Structure formats: structure tokens, C-alpha cells
Amino acid sequence: MKVGAVIAWIFLGLVVAGLGYIRLAPSDPANWHVPVEAQSDRDFAGGALRVVPAGEQTLAKIDAAARALDRTRVLAGSVQQGRITYITRSLIFGFPDYTTVEQSDGQVRMLARLRFGRSDLGVNARRLEQLVAAAKG
């Protein structure tokens, strides 16, 4: 019985350490604040791409909507620079998702993707749909 308890404590310690790493791992803008190479909408296992026509204030509208999302903060960029990357963390475990929004050539291109895991269960696509609605509103 003692060996089982030790194994359980080791397992619990590894889980806590893993969750701590997920919550505290640094987010290097050089890895995440990158140009969005997209020409059309696309969903994939760990994220999504959206492309919408842009007017003069489109990026500013999207920025305001993104900043209003729960558990979201700016990692890098600004409206003036034409590209912004946000980190949105999941409610319970704090998994980070990265959303980059870029305006150029009369379009706004948005890329939302996860950092850890293989599937985001459609969360990033739903977030981008909210931002697309803000761009049109």
C-alpha cells in the first residue's frame, strides 16, 4: 500500500508541475508575433485562419473586441503597427492560445492557434468568428 501512495504522490507532483509550466512558461513574441500568411478561411486541429475585407477602422474595431475578451491580453504589436498578437488563457487550466491579427492590402488576416496539445475543440475558430463579427459591426 505504501508503494501505491508514493506513486500517487509522484503522479500528482508531476501533474502540478506540468500545469505550473503551462501557466508560467514565457511567451516569446519572436515565436508568436509573426506575419499571417493566409489568403482564405481555414480551420485546422489546433486553430483557425480568417480573412476579411478591411476598411480604415477595421483593425481598431477588432483590437477593441479582442481586448474585451475574458482572460486576454496583448503580447505584442499595436493598431499603429498593423499587427497585434494576443494571448487568451483557458478558464480552468490556463492553457494559452495565441491570436495574431494583421491588416494590410485591404484585408485583415487573423490566425488563432494553441500552444499546448493537438486540438482546441474549435475554441480558436469561435473566437475568430467573434472578431469577424466585430470587424463587420
Side-chain angles (χ1 to χ4, degrees):
M1 191 67 166
K2 267 189 160 180
V3 172
V6 170
I7 291 172
W9 280 108
I10 290 172
F11 178 75
L12 181 62
L14 290 172
V15 168
V16 169
L19 291 174
Y21 176 76
I22 287 168
R23 181 64 81 166
L24 302 173
S27 296
D28 185 357
N31 293 331
W32 300 102
H33 186 62
V34 295
V36 180
E37 304 293 334
Q39 301 305 318
S40 61
D41 295 355
R42 185 167 68 96
D43 293 350
F44 49 95
L49 289 159
R50 296 292 183 268
V51 179
V52 296
E56 189 174 308
Q57 294 298 316
T58 304
L59 186 58
K61 288 179 185 179
I62 293 171
D63 179 53
R67 289 172 185 263
L69 294 171
D70 291 337
R71 300 172 309 280
T72 299
R73 68 175 181 85
V74 173
L75 173 66
S78 68
V79 172
Q80 293 75 23
Q81 293 172 349
R83 182 185 317 139
I84 311 162
T85 298
Y86 309 90
I87 300 175
T88 304
R89 292 195 174 269
S90 65
L91 179 62
I92 296 178
F93 295 113
F95 285 96
D97 289 337
Y98 298 87
T99 304
T100 301
V101 181
E102 178 177 70
Q103 183 169 343
S104 66
D105 303 324
Q107 294 181 322
V108 169
R109 291 180 291 281
M110 297 179 267
L111 168 62
R113 64 266 190 217
L114 56 72
R115 177 171 179 178
F116 298 104
R118 292 186 180 176
S119 174
D120 67 349
L121 303 174
V123 171
N124 283 306
R126 286 190 297 276
R127 185 178 309 112
L128 288 186
E129 292 305 322
Q130 287 180 293
L131 298 179
V132 166
K136 294 177 179 179

